[in-house]
Amino acid sequence: MTQQEFEIIWKDGKDFVECHTSGSTGAPKQIRLSKDFMRASARRTNTFFGIAVGSRLHTCLDFKYIASMMMTVRADEAGCLLTSEAPSSRPLGGISYDERIDLLSMVPAQMEWVLDSTKEWTGIKNILLGGSAIPSLIRRRILLSPYNVWETYGMTETASHVALRKVSDDETPFKTLDGISVGVNENGCLIINMPDGQRLITTDIAEVKGENEFRILGRADHAVISGGIKIHPEELEERLGPFIAFDYCLSSVPDKKWGEKLVLVVESPDEQADEELLTEAVGVRLRQYRKILDLGVKSPKDVVVVSSLPRTPKGKVDRLTLKRTLHSR
């Protein structure tokens, strides 16, 4: 879907927009979002970033997703300009390096291209980075760059993000936008309390600090249970990221003694040639930092090398497919 096509939908006279959820609060499904609900979300983001008349927004994403839809709504609410481009792995091709953009929306793979550029887009004020987790290598490069980059937490059901945090090298929590509070249920899953009274229960396991700050430990359905200990791969990946210079993720393999055994899965196109080398290299790094990070029983027990990590259409690692593959070997 293009910007022009969504603008027709936005102005079609109906009081809702039909969207597809990503599965953060259950199985993916088609839902209707109230346009008033979307406008309220847009105003919260505009307030946070100071978006007003005279600002310029730009998106590199498809308008069939909530991220770009909401860029349209933010521009409409602020009375400012929105520009867009067809999604690609080489964004900003038509944007000059000093051209002003107050808020840019993209995914981590596109951010990598921006970081690879020999020049800097000096006119970009803020970048919203969402759609998938930020790989540790890209995170480190962002910290060394001049860009002001924000991680988002949200979903289709909340009309894009409900919380933000600036990309950092520590475990900085997400902070909710105005009027939004959070909690956890008896299973540790994040609860989002929206200003209109709507209450959403996610499948994300969270650590909540007060009513407005939280950290995501992982998805409930991604947990690895080894010897009765529940391990959330995403939480450990955030801690291991600075020390592993490869594309990787944590998963599990069957184990007769423990039920499941946590393993570090490394992606390498030349799987057979690199397996011994990578296994040793990653293994050495894990041994070096196991005590420093105080991983204890949650430390990966083995390294598995695969030619490619399965991914979703949005580029996220498909953890459930990977786990099924590893358990069927």
PDB file of all heavy atoms in Angstrom, residues 52-73:
ATOM      1  N   ALA A  52       4.996  19.740  14.958  1.00  0.00           N
ATOM      2  CA  ALA A  52       3.990  20.796  14.822  1.00  0.00           C
ATOM      3  C   ALA A  52       3.955  21.261  13.367  1.00  0.00           C
ATOM      4  O   ALA A  52       4.641  20.703  12.497  1.00  0.00           O
ATOM      5  CB  ALA A  52       4.340  21.959  15.749  1.00  0.00           C
ATOM      6  N   VAL A  53       3.134  22.285  13.117  1.00  0.00           N
ATOM      7  CA  VAL A  53       3.099  22.877  11.776  1.00  0.00           C
ATOM      8  C   VAL A  53       4.529  23.287  11.397  1.00  0.00           C
ATOM      9  O   VAL A  53       5.241  23.887  12.195  1.00  0.00           O
ATOM     10  CB  VAL A  53       2.169  24.105  11.752  1.00  0.00           C
ATOM     11  CG1 VAL A  53       2.234  24.802  10.391  1.00  0.00           C
ATOM     12  CG2 VAL A  53       0.735  23.682  12.065  1.00  0.00           C
ATOM     13  N   GLY A  54       4.935  22.940  10.201  1.00  0.00           N
ATOM     14  CA  GLY A  54       6.301  23.261   9.768  1.00  0.00           C
ATOM     15  C   GLY A  54       7.256  22.096   9.908  1.00  0.00           C
ATOM     16  O   GLY A  54       8.345  22.113   9.328  1.00  0.00           O
ATOM     17  N   SER A  55       6.870  21.062  10.667  1.00  0.00           N
ATOM     18  CA  SER A  55       7.716  19.875  10.789  1.00  0.00           C
ATOM     19  C   SER A  55       7.603  19.027   9.528  1.00  0.00           C
ATOM     20  O   SER A  55       6.662  19.171   8.736  1.00  0.00           O
ATOM     21  CB  SER A  55       7.292  19.029  11.996  1.00  0.00           C
ATOM     22  OG  SER A  55       7.447  19.732  13.208  1.00  0.00           O
ATOM     23  N   ARG A  56       8.560  18.123   9.377  1.00  0.00           N
ATOM     24  CA  ARG A  56       8.507  17.183   8.258  1.00  0.00           C
ATOM     25  C   ARG A  56       8.741  15.768   8.782  1.00  0.00           C
ATOM     26  O   ARG A  56       9.696  15.512   9.512  1.00  0.00           O
ATOM     27  CB  ARG A  56       9.562  17.507   7.205  1.00  0.00           C
ATOM     28  CG  ARG A  56       9.533  16.497   6.042  1.00  0.00           C
ATOM     29  CD  ARG A  56      10.718  16.630   5.142  1.00  0.00           C
ATOM     30  NE  ARG A  56      10.745  15.579   4.142  1.00  0.00           N
ATOM     31  CZ  ARG A  56      11.719  15.413   3.250  1.00  0.00           C
ATOM     32  NH1 ARG A  56      12.744  16.250   3.239  1.00  0.00           N
ATOM     33  NH2 ARG A  56      11.678  14.423   2.384  1.00  0.00           N
ATOM     34  N   LEU A  57       7.846  14.858   8.402  1.00  0.00           N
ATOM     35  CA  LEU A  57       7.976  13.449   8.737  1.00  0.00           C
ATOM     36  C   LEU A  57       8.323  12.676   7.468  1.00  0.00           C
ATOM     37  O   LEU A  57       7.968  13.077   6.362  1.00  0.00           O
ATOM     38  CB  LEU A  57       6.671  12.903   9.323  1.00  0.00           C
ATOM     39  CG  LEU A  57       5.972  13.737  10.407  1.00  0.00           C
ATOM     40  CD1 LEU A  57       4.737  12.997  10.915  1.00  0.00           C
ATOM     41  CD2 LEU A  57       6.923  14.037  11.554  1.00  0.00           C
ATOM     42  N   HIS A  58       9.018  11.539   7.640  1.00  0.00           N
ATOM     43  CA  HIS A  58       9.363  10.705   6.487  1.00  0.00           C
ATOM     44  C   HIS A  58       9.351   9.248   6.919  1.00  0.00           C
ATOM     45  O   HIS A  58       9.843   8.900   8.004  1.00  0.00           O
ATOM     46  CB  HIS A  58      10.739  11.068   5.939  1.00  0.00           C
ATOM     47  CG  HIS A  58      11.094  10.331   4.671  1.00  0.00           C
ATOM     48  ND1 HIS A  58      10.649  10.747   3.434  1.00  0.00           N
ATOM     49  CD2 HIS A  58      11.827   9.204   4.455  1.00  0.00           C
ATOM     50  CE1 HIS A  58      11.111   9.926   2.502  1.00  0.00           C
ATOM     51  NE2 HIS A  58      11.827   8.967   3.102  1.00  0.00           N
ATOM     52  N   THR A  59       8.788   8.379   6.082  1.00  0.00           N
ATOM     53  CA  THR A  59       8.778   6.952   6.379  1.00  0.00           C
ATOM     54  C   THR A  59       9.335   6.143   5.216  1.00  0.00           C
ATOM     55  O   THR A  59       9.120   6.488   4.051  1.00  0.00           O
ATOM     56  CB  THR A  59       7.363   6.456   6.735  1.00  0.00           C
ATOM     57  OG1 THR A  59       7.420   5.049   7.029  1.00  0.00           O
ATOM     58  CG2 THR A  59       6.372   6.691   5.600  1.00  0.00           C
ATOM     59  N   CYS A  60      10.046   5.074   5.575  1.00  0.00           N
ATOM     60  CA  CYS A  60      10.627   4.166   4.582  1.00  0.00           C
ATOM     61  C   CYS A  60       9.884   2.832   4.559  1.00  0.00           C
ATOM     62  O   CYS A  60      10.375   1.853   4.003  1.00  0.00           O
ATOM     63  CB  CYS A  60      12.095   3.892   4.917  1.00  0.00           C
ATOM     64  SG  CYS A  60      13.104   5.356   5.133  1.00  0.00           S
ATOM     65  N   LEU A  61       8.706   2.780   5.198  1.00  0.00           N
ATOM     66  CA  LEU A  61       7.997   1.526   5.394  1.00  0.00           C
ATOM     67  C   LEU A  61       6.706   1.468   4.575  1.00  0.00           C
ATOM     68  O   LEU A  61       6.179   2.491   4.149  1.00  0.00           O
ATOM     69  CB  LEU A  61       7.676   1.350   6.880  1.00  0.00           C
ATOM     70  CG  LEU A  61       8.863   1.515   7.829  1.00  0.00           C
ATOM     71  CD1 LEU A  61       8.395   1.414   9.275  1.00  0.00           C
ATOM     72  CD2 LEU A  61       9.933   0.468   7.539  1.00  0.00           C
ATOM     73  N   ASP A  62       6.192   0.246   4.407  1.00  0.00           N
ATOM     74  CA  ASP A  62       4.957   0.017   3.667  1.00  0.00           C
ATOM     75  C   ASP A  62       3.760   0.516   4.478  1.00  0.00           C
ATOM     76  O   ASP A  62       3.695   0.312   5.691  1.00  0.00           O
ATOM     77  CB  ASP A  62       4.806  -1.480   3.388  1.00  0.00           C
ATOM     78  CG  ASP A  62       3.776  -1.763   2.301  1.00  0.00           C
ATOM     79  OD1 ASP A  62       2.647  -1.259   2.417  1.00  0.00           O
ATOM     80  OD2 ASP A  62       4.100  -2.496   1.346  1.00  0.00           O
ATOM     81  N   PHE A  63       2.793   1.111   3.799  1.00  0.00           N
ATOM     82  CA  PHE A  63       1.628   1.666   4.483  1.00  0.00           C
ATOM     83  C   PHE A  63       0.574   0.619   4.839  1.00  0.00           C
ATOM     84  O   PHE A  63      -0.473   0.954   5.387  1.00  0.00           O
ATOM     85  CB  PHE A  63       1.007   2.788   3.645  1.00  0.00           C
ATOM     86  CG  PHE A  63       1.754   4.080   3.783  1.00  0.00           C
ATOM     87  CD1 PHE A  63       2.918   4.310   3.055  1.00  0.00           C
ATOM     88  CD2 PHE A  63       1.332   5.050   4.668  1.00  0.00           C
ATOM     89  CE1 PHE A  63       3.625   5.495   3.190  1.00  0.00           C
ATOM     90  CE2 PHE A  63       2.029   6.242   4.824  1.00  0.00           C
ATOM     91  CZ  PHE A  63       3.180   6.463   4.079  1.00  0.00           C
ATOM     92  N   LYS A  64       0.867  -0.644   4.594  1.00  0.00           N
ATOM     93  CA  LYS A  64      -0.049  -1.684   5.082  1.00  0.00           C
ATOM     94  C   LYS A  64       0.232  -1.992   6.555  1.00  0.00           C
ATOM     95  O   LYS A  64      -0.539  -2.704   7.199  1.00  0.00           O
ATOM     96  CB  LYS A  64       0.081  -2.957   4.249  1.00  0.00           C
ATOM     97  CG  LYS A  64       1.402  -3.702   4.387  1.00  0.00           C
ATOM     98  CD  LYS A  64       1.414  -4.939   3.491  1.00  0.00           C
ATOM     99  CE  LYS A  64       2.739  -5.690   3.593  1.00  0.00           C
ATOM    100  NZ  LYS A  64       2.772  -6.879   2.719  1.00  0.00           N
ATOM    101  N   TYR A  65       1.349  -1.438   7.086  1.00  0.00           N
ATOM    102  CA  TYR A  65       1.691  -1.643   8.488  1.00  0.00           C
ATOM    103  C   TYR A  65       1.336  -0.405   9.308  1.00  0.00           C
ATOM    104  O   TYR A  65       1.343   0.725   8.816  1.00  0.00           O
ATOM    105  CB  TYR A  65       3.180  -1.961   8.641  1.00  0.00           C
ATOM    106  CG  TYR A  65       3.597  -3.247   7.955  1.00  0.00           C
ATOM    107  CD1 TYR A  65       4.592  -3.238   6.972  1.00  0.00           C
ATOM    108  CD2 TYR A  65       3.002  -4.459   8.285  1.00  0.00           C
ATOM    109  CE1 TYR A  65       4.974  -4.411   6.334  1.00  0.00           C
ATOM    110  CE2 TYR A  65       3.381  -5.637   7.648  1.00  0.00           C
ATOM    111  CZ  TYR A  65       4.360  -5.604   6.672  1.00  0.00           C
ATOM    112  OH  TYR A  65       4.731  -6.767   6.044  1.00  0.00           O
ATOM    113  N   ILE A  66       1.069  -0.628  10.585  1.00  0.00           N
ATOM    114  CA  ILE A  66       0.626   0.443  11.466  1.00  0.00           C
ATOM    115  C   ILE A  66       1.662   1.561  11.595  1.00  0.00           C
ATOM    116  O   ILE A  66       1.299   2.729  11.762  1.00  0.00           O
ATOM    117  CB  ILE A  66       0.250  -0.123  12.862  1.00  0.00           C
ATOM    118  CG1 ILE A  66      -0.507   0.914  13.697  1.00  0.00           C
ATOM    119  CG2 ILE A  66       1.489  -0.619  13.595  1.00  0.00           C
ATOM    120  CD1 ILE A  66      -1.868   1.270  13.157  1.00  0.00           C
ATOM    121  N   ALA A  67       2.958   1.230  11.495  1.00  0.00           N
ATOM    122  CA  ALA A  67       4.005   2.248  11.665  1.00  0.00           C
ATOM    123  C   ALA A  67       3.851   3.379  10.662  1.00  0.00           C
ATOM    124  O   ALA A  67       3.901   4.564  11.027  1.00  0.00           O
ATOM    125  CB  ALA A  67       5.383   1.605  11.543  1.00  0.00           C
ATOM    126  N   SER A  68       3.664   3.045   9.391  1.00  0.00           N
ATOM    127  CA  SER A  68       3.510   4.095   8.378  1.00  0.00           C
ATOM    128  C   SER A  68       2.114   4.716   8.407  1.00  0.00           C
ATOM    129  O   SER A  68       1.951   5.909   8.154  1.00  0.00           O
ATOM    130  CB  SER A  68       3.816   3.538   6.990  1.00  0.00           C
ATOM    131  OG  SER A  68       5.204   3.504   6.760  1.00  0.00           O
ATOM    132  N   MET A  69       1.114   3.907   8.715  1.00  0.00           N
ATOM    133  CA  MET A  69      -0.228   4.474   8.860  1.00  0.00           C
ATOM    134  C   MET A  69      -0.208   5.619   9.872  1.00  0.00           C
ATOM    135  O   MET A  69      -0.768   6.691   9.645  1.00  0.00           O
ATOM    136  CB  MET A  69      -1.213   3.399   9.331  1.00  0.00           C
ATOM    137  CG  MET A  69      -1.558   2.334   8.319  1.00  0.00           C
ATOM    138  SD  MET A  69      -2.781   1.182   9.017  1.00  0.00           S
ATOM    139  CE  MET A  69      -2.908  -0.021   7.682  1.00  0.00           C
ATOM    140  N   MET A  70       0.462   5.373  10.996  1.00  0.00           N
ATOM    141  CA  MET A  70       0.481   6.368  12.054  1.00  0.00           C
ATOM    142  C   MET A  70       1.310   7.595  11.692  1.00  0.00           C
ATOM    143  O   MET A  70       1.070   8.689  12.219  1.00  0.00           O
ATOM    144  CB  MET A  70       0.971   5.753  13.360  1.00  0.00           C
ATOM    145  CG  MET A  70      -0.030   4.797  13.994  1.00  0.00           C
ATOM    146  SD  MET A  70      -1.674   5.541  14.250  1.00  0.00           S
ATOM    147  CE  MET A  70      -1.255   6.926  15.313  1.00  0.00           C
ATOM    148  N   MET A  71       2.275   7.455  10.806  1.00  0.00           N
ATOM    149  CA  MET A  71       3.007   8.635  10.344  1.00  0.00           C
ATOM    150  C   MET A  71       2.045   9.566   9.596  1.00  0.00           C
ATOM    151  O   MET A  71       2.113  10.793   9.722  1.00  0.00           O
ATOM    152  CB  MET A  71       4.175   8.228   9.459  1.00  0.00           C
ATOM    153  CG  MET A  71       5.299   7.502  10.196  1.00  0.00           C
ATOM    154  SD  MET A  71       6.180   8.545  11.392  1.00  0.00           S
ATOM    155  CE  MET A  71       7.394   9.330  10.308  1.00  0.00           C
ATOM    156  N   THR A  72       1.124   8.979   8.836  1.00  0.00           N
ATOM    157  CA  THR A  72       0.105   9.766   8.150  1.00  0.00           C
ATOM    158  C   THR A  72      -0.772  10.508   9.155  1.00  0.00           C
ATOM    159  O   THR A  72      -1.061  11.708   9.007  1.00  0.00           O
ATOM    160  CB  THR A  72      -0.788   8.853   7.287  1.00  0.00           C
ATOM    161  OG1 THR A  72       0.013   8.216   6.291  1.00  0.00           O
ATOM    162  CG2 THR A  72      -1.898   9.645   6.608  1.00  0.00           C
ATOM    163  N   VAL A  73      -1.196   9.786  10.209  1.00  0.00           N
ATOM    164  CA  VAL A  73      -2.089  10.383  11.204  1.00  0.00           C
ATOM    165  C   VAL A  73      -1.362  11.492  11.974  1.00  0.00           C
ATOM    166  O   VAL A  73      -1.943  12.547  12.265  1.00  0.00           O
ATOM    167  CB  VAL A  73      -2.621   9.309  12.165  1.00  0.00           C
ATOM    168  CG1 VAL A  73      -3.622   9.922  13.145  1.00  0.00           C
ATOM    169  CG2 VAL A  73      -3.278   8.168  11.385  1.00  0.00           C
TER     170      VAL A  73
END
